[in-house]
Amino acid sequence: MTVVRILGSGQFRLDDSDVGHLNELDNAVAAAVAAGDGAAFSRSFGALVAYVRDQGTTVPDGELVTSDHVLPAADTTLEEAREAFSGEGAIPG
Amino acid sequence: MAGLMSRFTTLFKVKANTMLDKAEDPGQTLDYSYQQQLEMLQKVKRGVADVVTAKKRLQLQTAKLEESVVKLDGQARQALAGNREDLARTALERKALIQGQLQGLDTQITALEQQQQNLIDQERRLSAKVESFRTQKEVVKAQYSAAEAQVRIGEATTGLGEEMSDVGLALQRAQDKTEQMQARAAAVNELVDTGAIDDLTAAPGSDLDAQIAALTAGSQVDAEMAKLRAEVGSGTPAAELGQGDAEPAKSEEESK
């Protein structure tokens, strides 16, 4: 099992067999960020978040488990995603 | 180019580990970790309460702006009735500017409400995880030495570190957003209060409120004057009063 955290939304368990498609969706997001295409980013990032939520089962509140993958918050903007690639800003502190 | 997820995972884990390193004194016991977790939970609760308060304040500011839109609309009508198209235009220009700002604020307040709901959910999750850590800590403490217990509970500790970083980031985002919105609402309110928007209009050095007030007062006086003239002219009130010495005298005084 693979544990994916969506910031602000908790953790989700996915089958290891889902990870391939997860990476494909993630690459589409990266391409949108590289192109600076806001519409493509909203679409692809929305699909990635929806996939994790739909395919995954929610990790119960009281369970303490480390995540294998971490996604930014569902309402992340293209600008914030760009900061994650430039290595500053998105994770302050 | 690496995916967003792998990039973000790396950044986030660095952040979460830094947080754990700070919390993990080598000589520290699990009880001490738990105490720190409780403190963090209290901080989160205060943070969430602050966001709620800030949102309420923003809603009040928005309500104030909405009132000024209504007021400006009324002023525009009064100005036009008094044949002061220039003043009416100024009022409408101000109204349009405030309405534009209001639209943005409304959308942002809705977004902030969603963030606030998420934060409350996160606070609940963190609270459940801290409680779960306490239980696990008691179990391993009963079975292992302090050093072994630390190792056995490693996964629980990193899991909790992640949760704390997650909530911390969400709080910071909400606070940043609230501050931006407050600055914006305050700037618009200031424009309304000082009448600085007058500078954009064709009426130089004039205060819209004062001019409209003068205009309104002027037309009110005109209207009352006309009424009095009609009354005095027809002589009806005096006739009705019979010996109405005082009334006509007062009217004459006001007519002067």
Side-chain angles (χ1 to χ4, degrees), chain B residues 3-118:
Chain B
L4 173 75
M5 192 166 62
S6 58
R7 182 85 186 113
F8 197 79
T9 303
T10 311
L11 285 171
F12 181 77
K13 297 243 164 166
V14 169
K15 163 91 182 167
N17 283 334
T18 314
M19 195 152 198
L20 279 180
D21 286 346
K22 266 187 225 156
E24 247 177 304
D25 187 327
Q28 128 196 337
T29 64
L30 288 177
D31 291 327
Y32 182 66
S33 301
Y34 175 65
Q35 279 310 313
Q36 287 195 313
Q37 288 161 17
L38 287 180
E39 278 170 29
M40 175 68 188
L41 189 59
Q42 283 313 309
K43 267 191 211 166
V44 168
K45 286 187 177 179
R46 277 199 298 275
V48 175
D50 286 347
V51 170
V52 173
T53 311
K55 194 205 73 188
K56 282 188 186 148
R57 203 178 305 136
L58 268 170
Q59 282 173 323
L60 285 176
Q61 280 176 303
T62 309
K64 195 182 157 198
L65 287 175
E66 270 158 7
E67 274 170 29
S68 50
V69 166
V70 175
K71 185 185 159 200
L72 283 166
D73 194 65
Q75 287 184 327
R77 282 166 198 279
Q78 286 167 356
L80 209 55
N83 280 327
R84 288 294 305 271
E85 201 181 321
D86 56 333
L87 287 182
R89 188 167 292 278
T90 306
L92 291 179
E93 274 167 0
R94 258 206 229 182
K95 181 185 150 191
L97 191 134
I98 294 168
Q99 272 178 326
Q101 295 290 325
L102 266 176
Q103 259 179 352
L105 280 173
D106 280 347
T107 320
Q108 284 182 310
I109 287 177
T110 310
L112 197 62
E113 255 161 18
Q114 183 56 52
Q115 270 188 318
Q116 178 192 317
Q117 190 49 53
N118 286 348

Side-chain angles (χ1 to χ4, degrees), chain B residues 15-252:
Chain B
K15 163 91 182 167
N17 283 334
T18 314
M19 195 152 198
L20 279 180
D21 286 346
K22 266 187 225 156
E24 247 177 304
D25 187 327
Q28 128 196 337
T29 64
L30 288 177
D31 291 327
Y32 182 66
S33 301
Y34 175 65
Q35 279 310 313
Q36 287 195 313
Q37 288 161 17
L38 287 180
E39 278 170 29
M40 175 68 188
L41 189 59
Q42 283 313 309
K43 267 191 211 166
V44 168
K45 286 187 177 179
R46 277 199 298 275
V48 175
D50 286 347
V51 170
V52 173
T53 311
K55 194 205 73 188
K56 282 188 186 148
R57 203 178 305 136
L58 268 170
Q59 282 173 323
L60 285 176
Q61 280 176 303
T62 309
K64 195 182 157 198
L65 287 175
E66 270 158 7
E67 274 170 29
S68 50
V69 166
V70 175
K71 185 185 159 200
L72 283 166
D73 194 65
Q75 287 184 327
R77 282 166 198 279
Q78 286 167 356
L80 209 55
N83 280 327
R84 288 294 305 271
E85 201 181 321
D86 56 333
L87 287 182
R89 188 167 292 278
T90 306
L92 291 179
E93 274 167 0
R94 258 206 229 182
K95 181 185 150 191
L97 191 134
I98 294 168
Q99 272 178 326
Q101 295 290 325
L102 266 176
Q103 259 179 352
L105 280 173
D106 280 347
T107 320
Q108 284 182 310
I109 287 177
T110 310
L112 197 62
E113 255 161 18
Q114 183 56 52
Q115 270 188 318
Q116 178 192 317
Q117 190 49 53
N118 286 348
L119 277 171
I120 291 167
D121 291 344
Q122 282 186 278
E123 183 194 306
R124 191 201 64 232
R125 272 200 295 274
L126 181 63
S127 182
K129 285 190 194 322
V130 168
E131 175 55 20
S132 173
F133 182 88
R134 190 190 66 80
T135 315
Q136 288 187 37
K137 165 180 79 80
E138 292 310 318
V139 172
V140 297
K141 262 172 60 188
Q143 295 172 351
Y144 302 96
S145 72
E148 272 177 317
Q150 288 274 21
V151 176
R152 296 246 159 208
I153 215 167
E155 166 93 7
T157 310
T158 47
L160 197 60
E162 261 190 30
E163 200 67 34
M164 290 196 291
S165 305
D166 188 338
V167 181
L169 281 171
L171 260 181
Q172 195 169 347
R173 274 184 100 214
Q175 280 160 355
D176 288 351
K177 190 163 205 167
T178 315
E179 275 168 26
Q180 282 170 12
M181 288 167 67
Q182 276 171 342
R184 198 169 144 196
V188 184
N189 271 328
E190 207 169 310
L191 284 179
V192 175
D193 291 344
T194 59
I197 307 174
D198 277 344
D199 299 344
L200 300 173
T201 73
S206 61
D207 182 72
L208 186 63
D209 277 350
Q211 288 196 61
I212 301 264
L215 190 63
T216 313
S219 61
Q220 244 172 28
V221 169
D222 287 347
E224 280 190 33
M225 193 78 86
K227 199 175 143 204
L228 282 175
R229 268 205 197 99
E231 284 172 7
V232 172
S234 71
T236 320
E240 269 176 11
L241 284 164
Q243 67 255 46
D245 291 332
E247 273 304 303
K250 195 183 166 205
S251 293
E252 275 162 29

